[in-house]
């Protein structure tokens, strides 16, 4: 998609309508999907604030999906409820793209994460990847762990405080295909990593705000870490960040997170083209 001339791209979703339903806040996912739709010549309907919709009057998600699937060719949806995207897919007459369902999964983020890693390292097989921060509620790291298990010889370091460890059932699902090391000691494993995938401690997911206060500053990455990391070490982050990556790192060669976010556009263009594009096969 990156190489395709703009005029050619504009024809791919011509006449197609994409519904963008964001029941939860978003900057990157919503805007990169909407930019991708426009780049492909499609039209967008939807909302970014569900308090302006009939959900406010008590309409169920299933009824909303039944309706919207009659208005659009495909639905991109973000919702705070885990499993909501799967439920919507069972009801909808049109394909559903999960733009994040609560603390469960964020699969399109994973596609752009994989693309970013592949572009930077030329491969994914055999890399050592750290996941840092909120691994319990972090939907991006859940989806990424499942995806990395599809590659060969990936080593995964899971670094989190006790309260925010990766759910056991995910580890069970992926451990056959990944070499996994769980720890709370970041410094010990940093020198071994090719990529550190940092995440925000998500205040909004904690049932008890006192628990959030205990862990909110547990990992803050500063420039000094680069003294002990590999030469081509990269930091990724799905963003938004709060304080877990200090601004000082932004201008270093390790900062991959803004490039990562930018990759959301071509990756989402590709996904939409494959699902509802005018041509079955996108020519490169
Ligand atoms: N990475 C991501 O999902 O960002 P947004 O919440 O801004 O969409």
């Amino acid at each position: 998609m990156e190489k395709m001339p703009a005029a050619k791209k504009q024809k791919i979703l011509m006449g197609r309508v994409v519904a963008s339903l964001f029941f939860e806040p978003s900057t990157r996912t919503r805007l990169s999907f909407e930019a991708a739709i426009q780049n492909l010549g499609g039209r967008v309907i939807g909302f970014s604030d569900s308090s302006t919709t009939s959900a406010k009057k008590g309409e169920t998600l299933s009824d909303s999906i039944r309706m919207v699937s009659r208005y659009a060719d495909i639905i991109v949806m973000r919702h705070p409820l885990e499993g909501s995207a799967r439920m919507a897919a069972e009801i909808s007459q049109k394909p559903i793209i999960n733009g994040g369902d609560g603390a469960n999964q964020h699969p399109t983020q994973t596609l752009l994460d994989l693309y970013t890693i592949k572009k930077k390292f030329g491969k994914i097989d055999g890399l050592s990847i750290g996941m840092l921060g909120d691994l319990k509620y972090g939907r991006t790291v859940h989806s990424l762990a499942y995806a990395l298990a599809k590659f060969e010889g990936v080593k995964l370091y899971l670094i989190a405080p006790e309260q925010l460890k990766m759910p056991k059932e995910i580890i069970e699902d992926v451990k056959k295909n990944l070499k996994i090391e769980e720890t709370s000691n970041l410094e010990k494993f940093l020198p071994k990593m090719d990529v550190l995938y940092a995440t925000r401690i998500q205040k909004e997911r904690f049932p008890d705000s006192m628990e959030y206060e205990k862990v909110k500053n547990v990992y803050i990455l500063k420039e000094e870490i680069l003294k002990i990391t590999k030469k081509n070490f990269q930091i990724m982050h799905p963003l938004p960040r709060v304080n877990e990556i200090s601004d000082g790192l932004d201008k270093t060669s390790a900062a991959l997170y803004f490039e990562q976010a930018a990759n959301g556009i071509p990756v989402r263009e590709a996904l939409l083209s494959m699902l509802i594009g005018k041509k079955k096969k996108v020519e490169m």
Side-chain angles (χ1 to χ4, degrees), residues 1-269:
M1 302 312 294
E2 283 179 336
K3 288 178 189 154
M4 191 181 287
K8 191 170 176 182
K9 263 195 199 179
Q10 275 289 313
K11 294 181 185 147
I12 295 176
L13 292 193
M14 203 180 275
R16 301 277 199 256
V17 177
V18 182
S20 164
L21 313 185
F22 278 74
F23 293 87
E24 235 192 15
S26 168
T27 298
R28 279 145 292 272
T29 309
R30 184 173 72 82
L31 295 181
S32 62
F33 260 116
E34 294 188 5
I37 295 158
Q38 287 169 19
N39 291 346
L40 299 174
R43 284 174 293 146
V44 191
I45 57 169
F47 52 82
S48 55
D49 176 2
S50 64
S51 71
T52 65
T53 72
S54 289
K56 182 85 178 162
K57 301 179 214 160
E59 184 168 50
T60 61
L61 176 62
S62 5
D63 277 357
S64 302
I65 294 297
R66 281 189 187 99
M67 291 316 308
V68 178
S69 68
R70 289 167 164 87
Y71 300 151
D73 297 296
I74 193 165
I75 297 172
V76 179
M77 187 181 99
R78 169 170 290 185
H79 198 280
L81 265 184
E82 289 155 38
S84 52
R86 183 174 293 279
M87 186 274 274
E90 281 161 11
I91 289 167
S92 176
Q93 302 183 340
K94 306 284 167 52
I96 300 282
I97 297 179
N98 182 5
D101 62 325
N104 186 31
Q105 297 280 335
H106 194 348
T108 68
Q109 175 71 41
T110 288
L111 293 178
L112 74 92
D113 293 341
L114 294 176
Y115 180 57
T116 303
I117 297 170
K118 180 86 191 289
K119 226 171 144 180
K120 185 53 93 176
F121 291 90
K123 62 173 189 175
I124 295 171
D125 292 337
L127 292 180
S128 292
I129 297 179
M131 292 180 174
L132 177 74
D134 181 356
L135 308 188
K136 179 178 180 183
Y137 300 114
R139 57 193 174 199
T140 59
V141 284
H142 299 165
S143 290
L144 186 57
Y146 280 111
L148 289 173
K150 306 251 178 228
F151 293 85
E152 295 297 321
V154 173
K155 173 101 201 188
L156 200 56
Y157 297 100
L158 302 176
I159 308 129
E162 194 57 35
Q163 307 90 310
L164 296 176
K165 284 170 83 172
M166 180 71 83
K168 290 247 172 311
E169 58 274 19
I170 297 182
I171 296 186
E172 279 303 311
D173 285 347
V174 301
K175 71 179 186 194
K176 242 193 342 204
N177 302 322
L178 292 168
K179 294 173 220 153
I180 296 178
E181 188 105 43
E182 277 191 283
T183 178
S184 55
N185 186 343
L186 173 63
E187 257 183 43
K188 183 174 170 196
F189 294 103
L190 254 180
K192 298 176 190 275
M193 291 175 203
D194 298 297
V195 174
L196 177 59
Y197 194 101
T199 61
R200 176 174 66 94
I201 309 286
Q202 302 173 89
K203 189 178 181 179
E204 68 276 21
R205 305 262 182 242
F206 280 74
D208 176 354
S209 60
M210 293 301 287
E211 287 301 309
Y212 169 74
E213 290 300 320
K214 283 186 206 160
V215 290
K216 67 179 183 185
N217 294 324
V218 67
Y219 299 111
I220 298 179
L221 301 176
K222 301 207 169 112
E223 282 163 274
E224 292 82 77
I225 64 164
L226 301 182
K227 290 182 190 151
I228 59 165
T229 54
K230 287 184 182 178
K231 204 163 161 233
N232 194 24
F233 169 75
Q234 298 294 311
I235 301 170
M236 295 175 69
H237 192 302
L239 303 176
R241 67 174 153 179
V242 180
N243 62 352
E244 57 278 5
I245 301 177
S246 62
D247 295 350
L249 279 163
D250 292 356
K251 289 204 167 72
T252 68
S253 61
L256 194 55
Y257 30 94
F258 295 122
E259 196 178 319
Q260 177 188 358
N263 286 333
I265 292 185
V267 166
R268 289 175 171 128
E269 285 173 353

